[in-house]
Amino acid sequence: MSIGKKRRSTGRVTLADVAQLAGVGTMTVSRALRTPEQVSDKLREKIEAAVNELGYLPNLAASSLASASSYTIAMVVPSFSESGCADMFAGLQRVLQPAGYQIMLAESQHHLEREEQLLETLLSYNLAAAVLLSVEHSQNTRQALLAAKIPVVEIGAMRADPIDMNIGIDYVAAMYQLTQTVIASGYQNVGLLCANQEQWIFQQHLQGWHKALLRNHMSPHRVINAAQPASFSTGAQQLPEFLLAWPELDALVCASDELACGALYECQRRRIKVPEQLAVVGFGNSDVSQVCQPPLTTMTVPHKEIGIQAGKALLARLNDQPWQPEGSLPSTLCRRGSC
């Protein structure tokens, strides 16, 4: 006598369990969960009561494979501590969550190979779309995303040849305006402090910096690009390096507010008067830039608006609606007491 092989139970509540408790078929439960407007109010309430009683959680991966569609969007960022990451994520959520989409967040740790591996895994989940907080990728990543034929939006900085859609600010123009403001304020010996960030953004910062210095017939050689993260401690550690290399320094442009505030703290420790002896400016207009002492002159980067616009672009494409690029979003100068 042959004995049939019995499938081992995982203990997970299934759609069939919900259907049995509600006294309906599994197709009816599936329809009520996917398109509740197609089910009567009385039946929907009965099914919802069964779902709540059993604690049923839909298997999203299985349903997306079965239907060849997904409500999952992957967002890959270089680092969770990247400037503006939380605000851009919040902007995306504000648009995409009400439409039923969930965002899966992953960190590439500033490595192109790591980003490539992450996307290879994430694409196997039949993603609806992908968001990349970067405009620098390996050729394999670009090819894989193009082959996936899903909407892709690169956010943060602008790029001439994006994979698909691109929403961000013009870092060259923003850094040029910030540096030009410092020079126009009368400072003659200006330095630039950058730290571990996307190479593409560093290059754009550097391009804007060089443009401002050279147009004013000033030397652009006072630059430090630290290997450490763009943090308060890095800003504090690098200020002595600047003063040792260039004791004539009278203004410091920082690629992030965190670096600038760290430099401000070190100025206070060394009793360097800001801005009388040394002007310090930042980039990003984070919360800390408004409450440090003195308040920080900085460039506003509309991180949340970038996320909102990216969400709207994805939603348009996912609904087969046209999307037209509008160019870079504006960044504005905030003049405060540090310069």
Side-chain angles (χ1 to χ4, degrees):
M1 182 175 70
S2 63
I3 300 175
K5 189 179 291 183
K6 185 177 180 181
R7 187 175 66 181
R8 185 173 59 185
S9 172
T10 62
R12 182 187 180 99
V13 178
T14 66
L15 200 71
D17 296 330
V18 176
Q20 184 177 4
L21 182 60
V24 297
T26 55
M27 290 297 292
T28 304
V29 175
S30 179
R31 189 182 306 112
L33 295 176
R34 288 173 177 272
T35 53
E37 68 278 0
Q38 295 183 9
V39 179
S40 68
D41 293 343
K42 184 176 180 180
L43 189 56
R44 186 172 64 250
E45 290 171 4
K46 189 175 182 181
I47 292 171
E48 286 176 354
V51 167
N52 292 334
E53 182 176 338
L54 294 174
Y56 172 70
L57 295 172
N59 188 334
L60 297 178
S63 63
S64 68
L65 287 170
S67 64
S69 64
S70 170
Y71 281 87
T72 300
I73 294 173
M75 180 177 180
V76 181
V77 303
S79 169
F80 294 138
S81 61
E82 190 79 12
S83 179
C85 177
D87 285 338
M88 284 186 267
F89 181 76
L92 282 163
Q93 287 274 71
R94 179 173 161 181
V95 176
L96 296 172
Q97 202 167 43
Y101 291 93
Q102 300 296 326
I103 302 175
M104 187 184 301
L105 197 58
E107 182 185 54
S108 67
Q109 300 170 337
H110 293 281
H111 293 299
L112 298 184
E113 296 81 5
R114 173 66 176 158
E115 181 188 62
E116 186 179 316
Q117 293 166 1
L118 281 170
L119 283 166
E120 183 180 348
T121 300
L122 292 167
L123 286 169
S124 69
Y125 285 87
N126 197 27
L127 297 174
V131 181
L132 307 176
L133 179 49
S134 170
V135 292
E136 188 178 22
H137 320 285
S138 71
Q139 190 59 33
N140 286 342
T141 293
R142 292 177 66 88
Q143 289 175 350
L145 289 169
L146 287 169
K149 298 187 184 302
I150 59 173
V152 177
V153 59
E154 296 163 277
I155 60 175
M158 298 299 293
R159 179 175 178 136
D161 58 338
I163 297 171
D164 183 7
M165 299 179 286
N166 185 199
I167 296 173
I169 70 161
D170 186 340
Y171 276 88
V172 176
M175 180 56 77
Y176 172 80
Q177 183 182 0
L178 180 63
T179 307
Q180 184 65 36
T181 298
V182 172
I183 296 170
S185 299
Y187 298 98
Q188 297 294 317
N189 303 298
V190 189
L192 173 65
L193 174 59
C194 299
N196 187 14
Q197 61 183 157
E198 287 295 285
Q199 185 65 19
W200 188 269
I201 294 178
F202 169 66
Q203 292 295 337
Q204 291 196 0
H205 274 148
L206 204 59
Q207 188 177 340
W209 157 263
H210 276 112
K211 181 179 175 182
L213 269 291
L214 295 176
R215 282 197 176 182
N216 288 275
H217 309 288
M218 297 168 67
S219 174
H221 71 282
R222 300 183 190 89
V223 176
I224 290 181
N225 185 26
Q228 296 83 8
S231 63
F232 298 108
S233 58
T234 300
Q237 291 165 6
Q238 292 303 318
L239 181 65
E241 298 295 326
F242 261 105
L243 297 177
L244 183 63
W246 302 290
E248 73 280 8
L249 189 77
D250 61 5
L252 182 62
V253 177
C254 299
S256 77
D257 287 345
E258 290 77 14
L259 290 171
C261 287
L264 280 181
Y265 297 151
E266 183 64 14
C267 285
Q268 292 172 4
R269 194 181 74 82
R270 291 170 170 258
R271 292 180 171 80
I272 298 173
K273 294 181 181 180
V274 178
E276 293 84 358
Q277 293 175 271
L278 181 67
V280 179
V281 300
F283 201 103
N285 194 31
S286 61
D287 286 343
V288 70
S289 70
Q290 304 171 44
V291 297
C292 60
Q293 188 56 41
L296 194 64
T297 293
T298 182
M299 290 299 294
T300 296
V301 179
H303 291 120
K304 184 167 284 187
E305 185 61 26
I306 289 172
I308 290 171
Q309 292 302 320
K312 289 180 178 178
L314 286 176
L315 210 53
R317 290 285 300 279
L318 289 165
N319 292 327
D320 294 323
Q321 297 171 351
W323 177 81
Q324 291 295 329
E326 299 180 1
S328 60
L329 294 179
S331 53
T332 55
L333 179 70
C334 295
R335 296 204 66 160
R336 301 193 181 107
S338 70
C339 177

